[in-house]
Amino acid sequence: MKKLKILFVTPEAAPLAKTGGLADVSYSLPLSLIEKGHDVRIILPKYGAIDERKFKIHEVLRLKNLVAKIGDKEARYNIRTSFVVGNKYKVQAYLVENHEYFSNRKGLYSDPITGKDYEDNNERFILFARSVIEAVKLLGWQPDIIHLNDWQSSLVPLYLKLEKEESLKNSKTLLTIHNLAYQGEFPLEEFYKLGLPESYKFEDGVVIYDKINFLKTGILYADAINTVSPTYAKEIIEDKERSAGLKKVLLKRKDCLYGILNGIDEETWNPEKDEIILRNYNYKSYELKLENKKNLAVKFGFDFNPDEPYIYKISRIIDAKGFDLISEIFDELMKLDIKLFLLGVGEKKYHKFFIEKQNKYKNKFGCYIGYNEDLSHYLHAGGDIFLMPSRYEPCGLNQMYALKYGAVPIVRKTGGLNDTIIDIEEDPENGYGFSFKEYKPETLLKSIIKAVDLYKNNKALWLKIIKRGMKKDFSWNNSAKLYIDLYKNIISK
Ligand code: ADP
């Protein structure tokens, strides 16, 4: 087997910097590729939130004092190095350091205080793309594949194409779209910042709908593109709403558009080994989960009754994750014999809504507005039913975490949720979740009522489906193989 050299370019990677699922993928996919014998390094911006001491960030002599032109500005930067350490392997990480754009800011893409996107995100990620090309030139380590992720790294294929050095042409590019809704759009007047020939200032270049669009640029110029589940790959070219205005561009690249399901890191998300939760368990010692459930009740100051199912949700609080549906049926939900938990942060209108509800339903609804990794583990370990009624979902990770911890997911049949959850009524022999089609509050409520009924009145079947879910293999093993096949396919073209 030929060992592939892969440079994984990402705007976030756990545990260094994380806002969502992409950080988890950027941690576990490279590790899994290394486990399969490949040479993988990652590169990301060195944000202010990255702890310099904790991650032992070093200088690299040949990657110091670099300069990138961004319009008429000259941005000085260094590329430093650290490691992302997994259980068995570690990945070398390059960190792009510039004080103005990255190191002096706490947020990754937006200001944590105002919640608003940084206005100079175009400059920030032009610098990032430029630094990736520079790193490839200076490292003396030429990647076979430059694996890009989301709009923040989407300028790389075009910049690479415009490079004169012949050797750079041996690096092929793959762009993974984790969410098509985020495209990186900027005013046309700022075209000059990109440092591109004027001929790119058109629809067949970097522009669409009179704006500069980073993601669109990546889709157009990458050697291949993929999304994070087969169903989402189909939806974005078939469904007008899902294609988010990029249908034409995507259709142009249809022959090299793929869908590969994300895996999960089964070392971190494993109730048998989890060091955060109160009591470890597996599908054979499932009854021990009850102690975690009791612990959850204690943490939220609720009285404990094992017969009440614990329904929970961990998510960014935005409409797309189904919060419009949940808020509509909230009072109905509170009539059921359940407890409900919410962990998340996002839109202010929902924060207000849920805090009010928490005050109203004191022994029934507990919410934590904020980001809390430990609590997410407690919830999976103590919860019985996991809610993920997303309007759309490129892949989704939490439904897989929930299954591993012996909770039953209720999801909407879309994107990666469709590819990971088998509905118990549709397929009683193999099902382990509830999956509904219509994006309506009453359909969600119906599914919840069904799940609660099953929990309360058919313990034997409940146990059976939980064990099925816990035994499912969602590791990266399979998907990493698919990525390797795709890399080889791109290289051979
Ligand atoms: P998305 O990437 O769209 O936000 P995913 O389900 O793919 O959704 O991944 C979300 C990741 O972020 C998961 O690892 C989830 O546990 C985590 N997460 C989201 N919100 C929070 C929060 N408030 N506290 C802790 N973890 C969170």
Side-chain angles (χ1 to χ4, degrees), residues 73 100-101 105 118-125 186:
K73 276 194 204 169
E100 183 193 347
Y101 290 129
R105 303 190 196 190
Y118 291 124
E119 273 181 20
D120 56 357
N121 268 346
N122 52 354
E123 295 178 30
R124 301 173 76 224
F125 291 101
F186 303 98

Side-chain angles (χ1 to χ4, degrees), residues 339-385:
K339 296 219 190 295
L340 182 67
F341 302 85
L342 168 66
L343 164 62
V345 57
E347 283 179 33
K348 297 272 180 301
K349 66 169 182 191
Y350 286 122
H351 293 178
K352 187 167 170 281
F353 176 88
F354 288 119
I355 287 166
E356 275 170 20
K357 294 295 179 195
Q358 176 163 252
N359 290 332
K360 184 168 172 196
Y361 299 104
K362 283 215 165 63
N363 189 32
K364 229 171 152 76
F365 172 55
C367 84
Y368 182 103
I369 304 289
Y371 194 90
N372 189 329
E373 196 84 30
D374 286 2
L375 184 55
S376 76
H377 287 251
Y378 296 139
L379 283 166
H380 284 304
D384 300 301
I385 297 169

Side-chain angles (χ1 to χ4, degrees), residues 264-283 285-286 288-289 292 377 380-382 400-407 470:
I264 60 170
D265 168 20
E266 291 194 336
E267 291 293 322
T268 309
W269 299 99
N270 180 347
E272 214 173 343
K273 298 183 188 165
D274 192 320
E275 286 172 8
I276 298 168
I277 63 178
L278 181 75
R279 189 67 198 247
N280 291 109
Y281 59 98
N282 60 25
Y283 73 91
S285 57
Y286 179 77
L288 297 176
K289 184 178 164 85
N292 295 301
H377 287 251
H380 284 304
M400 296 187 257
Y401 301 158
L403 285 169
K404 284 278 137 195
Y405 282 76
M470 290 181 86

Side-chain angles (χ1 to χ4, degrees), residues 18 20-21 24 314-316 321 343-345 370-373 376 388 393 396-398 401:
K18 170 166 169 174
D24 292 352
I314 305 166
S315 160
R316 288 182 291 132
K321 296 282 183 187
L343 164 62
V345 57
Y371 194 90
N372 189 329
E373 196 84 30
S376 76
M388 201 154 174
E393 195 59 68
L397 296 172
N398 267 309
Y401 301 158

Side-chain angles (χ1 to χ4, degrees), residues 195-431:
L196 291 169
E198 281 289 311
S199 58
Y200 286 94
K201 200 177 167 183
F202 297 98
E203 290 262 330
D204 50 6
V206 303
V207 179
I208 191 163
Y209 310 117
D210 295 323
K211 284 207 174 119
I212 293 161
N213 187 310
F214 282 24
L215 189 67
K216 180 244 170 174
T217 306
I219 294 171
L220 217 50
Y221 293 101
D223 292 307
I225 307 132
N226 79 295
T227 69
V228 289
S229 69
T231 299
Y232 189 62
K234 255 201 247 149
E235 287 171 349
I236 59 171
I237 44 176
E238 284 170 5
D239 179 327
K240 190 162 177 281
E241 204 189 329
R242 286 298 72 76
S243 64
L246 297 184
K247 186 165 178 169
K248 252 188 167 163
V249 189
L250 288 164
L251 282 175
K252 240 189 207 172
R253 303 302 318 274
K254 194 169 170 247
D255 292 343
C256 42
L257 172 63
Y258 304 85
I260 300 178
L261 195 68
N262 282 337
I264 60 170
D265 168 20
E266 291 194 336
E267 291 293 322
T268 309
W269 299 99
N270 180 347
E272 214 173 343
K273 298 183 188 165
D274 192 320
E275 286 172 8
I276 298 168
I277 63 178
L278 181 75
R279 189 67 198 247
N280 291 109
Y281 59 98
N282 60 25
Y283 73 91
K284 286 184 197 141
S285 57
Y286 179 77
E287 63 291 347
L288 297 176
K289 184 178 164 85
L290 203 62
E291 291 182 37
N292 295 301
K293 183 168 175 173
K294 206 185 265 174
N295 184 41
L296 196 57
V298 172
K299 282 204 182 309
F300 279 86
F302 292 166
D303 34 294
F304 179 64
N305 168 5
D307 293 330
E308 260 179 347
Y310 281 15
I311 304 181
Y312 70 106
K313 180 160 178 64
I314 305 166
S315 160
R316 288 182 291 132
I317 304 185
I318 52 170
D319 281 333
K321 296 282 183 187
F323 281 98
D324 45 352
L325 303 189
I326 291 174
S327 49
E328 270 196 56
I329 59 168
F330 199 91
D331 293 312
E332 284 301 309
L333 269 184
M334 290 293 102
K335 291 180 190 156
L336 303 175
D337 190 12
I338 60 162
K339 296 219 190 295
L340 182 67
F341 302 85
L342 168 66
L343 164 62
V345 57
E347 283 179 33
K348 297 272 180 301
K349 66 169 182 191
Y350 286 122
H351 293 178
K352 187 167 170 281
F353 176 88
F354 288 119
I355 287 166
E356 275 170 20
K357 294 295 179 195
Q358 176 163 252
N359 290 332
K360 184 168 172 196
Y361 299 104
K362 283 215 165 63
N363 189 32
K364 229 171 152 76
F365 172 55
C367 84
Y368 182 103
I369 304 289
Y371 194 90
N372 189 329
E373 196 84 30
D374 286 2
L375 184 55
S376 76
H377 287 251
Y378 296 139
L379 283 166
H380 284 304
D384 300 301
I385 297 169
F386 178 70
L387 289 186
M388 201 154 174
S390 309
R391 182 183 285 276
Y392 71 93
E393 195 59 68
C395 176
L397 296 172
N398 267 309
Q399 79 279 17
M400 296 187 257
Y401 301 158
L403 285 169
K404 284 278 137 195
Y405 282 76
V408 174
I410 297 179
V411 305
R412 194 172 93 81
K413 212 172 177 49
T414 179
L417 297 173
N418 180 48
D419 296 330
T420 49
I421 304 300
I422 302 176
D423 183 80
I424 179 75
E425 285 180 339
E426 242 177 74
D427 186 348
E429 295 300 310
N430 302 297

